[in-house]
């Protein structure tokens, strides 16, 4: 077993998660604004808050279930510790 003698690997893992959250938030906000503008034109310039939810289908129906299935497969079929463990 390898013991972590420095905080650097843990901080690096945390930094990558924070970086991905930041980039994801920027992309999600931009896509949401574009979707609202497109649907405002179809609704004759009336703003409907539910229009922001139209772009979340891919992430909610595909990406989330795939990540959950992947972690379940790792837990079921990999006997060794994975990642920083």
């Amino acid at each position: 077993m390898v013991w972590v003698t420095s905080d650097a690997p843990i901080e690096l893992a945390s930094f990558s998660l924070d970086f991905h959250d930041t980039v994801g938030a920027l992309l999600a906000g931009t896509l949401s604004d574009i979707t609202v503008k497109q649907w405002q034109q179809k609704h004759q310039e009336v703003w409907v808050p539910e229009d922001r939810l139209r772009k979340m289908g891919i992430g909610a129906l595909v990406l989330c279930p795939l990540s959950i299935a992947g972690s379940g497969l790792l837990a079921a079929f990999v006997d060794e510790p994975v990642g920083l463990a």
Side-chain angles (χ1 to χ4, degrees):
M1 178 177 279
V2 176
W3 292 98
V4 178
T5 59
S6 172
D7 291 339
I10 296 169
E11 292 294 327
L12 187 62
S14 174
F15 174 75
S16 68
L17 291 174
D18 293 340
F19 178 74
H20 288 100
D21 287 345
T22 303
V23 171
L26 290 173
L27 288 174
T30 304
L31 278 176
S32 177
D33 292 342
I34 290 170
T35 303
V36 166
K37 288 177 185 175
Q38 288 173 348
W39 281 92
Q40 271 184 340
Q41 293 172 354
K42 293 180 183 180
H43 294 304
Q44 288 81 27
E45 301 300 322
V46 175
W47 184 69
V48 181
E50 290 81 13
D51 288 340
R52 292 186 181 270
L53 300 175
R54 295 184 191 275
K55 289 285 182 181
M56 74 168 233
I58 294 172
L61 297 175
V62 176
L63 298 177
C64 268
L66 285 178
S67 64
I68 292 171
S71 64
L73 288 172
L74 277 174
F77 295 113
V78 176
D79 295 329
E80 301 90 33
V82 178
L84 295 176

